[in-house]
Amino acid sequence: MSALYHAYRAIVVQAVCVHTVPMKLTPHDLDQLRRLIASARSITVLTGAGVSAESGIPTFRDAQTGHWARFRPEELATPEAFRRDPDLVWRWYAERRRAVLGVEPNAGHRALARLHGRVGRFSLITQNVDGLHARAGSREVIELHGSILRVRCFHSCVTYTAGAATAGTAEADAGAVAAAGELEASAVFAADSPPRCPHCGDFLRPDVVWFGENLPEAAIEAAVAASESCELFLSIGTSTVVYPAAMLPHAAADAGATVVEINPEETPFTARAHLSIRGTAATVLPAVID
Ligand code: BJW
Ligand code: ZN
């Protein structure tokens, strides 16, 4: 990972220069993307929070509402924030988990699930932790930042999945019979404060990747391989400011892929995209995939 990390630091420096690009979504852009999709033998897609925005899930950098408006998400999504105030961070995730379970995948998620079966080789990489791609029918989603639907011990002794009946160890996940001292998954998710691990006594925490933490090695390796070996790369609904995920569109372009960005706003990657489509995921994706 360290060579990879140095590579992405170098890319951050390049990416700060943003050029002016056309501001409107045009039928010509959509036709171009339709043709690219139809002719590509391999497609890799990277999604970010914007893909879930039209399901009603606020993006990471949107203004937070209510009680949470007082806190910056960047300051809650760190191991230090959790250690400083475990109840606060636990409650933030509990509320976001409830929100995610209360919404449905949108037309953008569903269009990507349909695209999978139509391309020779297809990879879907997501930074989202909301599980909405899987609920829309996508298979083998590469989750770079984990899942809000799982909770684990800081030392990975145990993992609990929302909706699973019993506790599970890291080796034998949900479905195993809860041994003496194990916690019921439903009790873990209903708790107002983070419960303690029944094995080591440290806190349970959301199974997501916080700032300063390494991404799951298998996920980032699969994501880099899929980015460097595709003909067409779609970067959808991501601000491309959080690394190492943000290096993936650059890695694809460096390896010769055509890279298309779909986002209503300009991003640090826009200047490098071969085609930048200024529209929302739930409008553009069904229009170009169906
Ligand atoms: C629409 C739309 C619609 C709206 N349709 N679009 C300096 C240089 C390089 C790197 C670093 C650095 N300083 C620190 C770092 C490392 C750090 C980093 O990148 N920081 C940056 C902020 C600079 N990265 C890390 O720490 C990562 N780990 C790591 O590097 O390990 C190695 C290491 C270890 C120790 C020391 C140093 C290095 C870990 C990153 C983990 C990110 N985790 C989060 C939280 C996950 C859990 C949770 O959800 O709570 O992941 S942060 C947050 O950002 C979340 C997201 O997945 C991620 C990306 O955000 P995303 O998806 O792009 O969302 P937004 O909100 O930013 O953008 C939404 C976009 O959608 C916008 O563009 C809208 O316009 C658009 N949109 N509606 C389409 N309808
Ligand atoms: Zn433990």
Side-chain angles (χ1 to χ4, degrees):
M1 273 298 283
S2 82
L4 197 65
Y5 180 62
H6 284 108
Y8 87 67
R9 269 189 175 281
I11 288 163
V12 177
V13 175
Q14 290 171 22
V16 290
C17 171
V18 176
H19 296 225
T20 308
V21 292
M23 295 301 290
K24 287 252 167 59
L25 171 63
T26 68
H28 175 71
D29 290 339
L30 294 181
D31 277 346
Q32 241 187 305
L33 180 52
R34 243 178 242 123
R35 276 197 297 275
L36 287 169
I37 289 175
S39 62
R41 283 165 301 177
S42 55
I43 300 182
T44 294
V45 177
L46 171 68
T47 65
V51 167
S52 297
E54 286 152 290
S55 289
I57 302 298
T59 67
F60 210 75
R61 283 157 190 88
D62 269 346
Q64 308 290 298
T65 54
H67 173 69
W68 301 107
R70 293 191 290 129
F71 303 94
R72 293 183 61 223
E74 290 86 340
E75 283 159 13
L76 293 175
T78 69
E80 294 76 22
F82 185 92
R83 291 292 185 192
R84 202 164 43 239
D85 193 342
D87 285 11
L88 176 77
V89 175
W90 180 262
R91 283 202 308 274
W92 185 52
Y93 279 94
E95 193 164 311
R96 289 175 56 201
R97 190 177 303 115
R98 264 193 300 279
V100 160
L101 292 173
V103 302
E104 296 298 325
N106 63 51
H109 295 109
R110 291 195 298 271
L112 288 174
R114 288 194 294 279
L115 183 58
H116 192 151
R118 297 191 199 158
V119 188
R121 198 152 49 78
F122 181 82
S123 302
L124 177 55
I125 307 165
T126 190
Q127 298 166 81
N128 298 345
V129 298
D130 55 29
L132 287 173
H133 283 302
R135 282 172 58 199
S138 282
R139 290 162 282 127
E140 297 159 22
V141 182
I142 301 172
E143 291 183 326
L144 292 179
H145 294 161
S147 170
I148 200 171
L149 305 176
R150 289 191 305 267
V151 157
R152 66 171 172 85
C153 164
F154 258 91
H155 308 284
S156 297
C157 313
V158 286
T159 301
Y160 299 88
T161 303
T166 58
T169 63
E171 293 77 32
D173 207 342
V177 175
E182 296 274 356
L183 305 169
E184 290 292 333
S186 55
V188 167
F189 288 101
D192 287 334
S193 305
R196 297 279 183 170
C197 171
H199 296 277
C200 72
D202 202 348
F203 281 121
L204 300 184
R205 52 163 283 180
D207 189 10
V208 297
V209 182
W210 282 328
F211 285 114
E213 295 185 321
N214 285 319
L215 277 64
E217 206 164 313
I220 188 65
E221 278 173 8
V224 171
S227 304
E228 290 180 340
S229 63
C230 63
E231 280 180 16
L232 177 63
F233 185 100
L234 309 179
S235 175
I236 312 174
T238 173
S239 56
T240 59
V241 296
V242 175
Y243 284 78
M247 77 172 182
L248 297 172
H250 292 276
D254 288 345
T258 301
V259 183
V260 178
E261 179 177 69
I262 302 173
N263 196 314
E265 306 289 335
E266 192 168 323
T267 75
F269 183 75
T270 305
R272 236 203 130 181
H274 296 97
L275 175 64
S276 178
I277 296 198
R278 292 303 176 81
T280 73
T283 49
V284 172
L285 290 170
V288 294
I289 287 168
D290 296 323

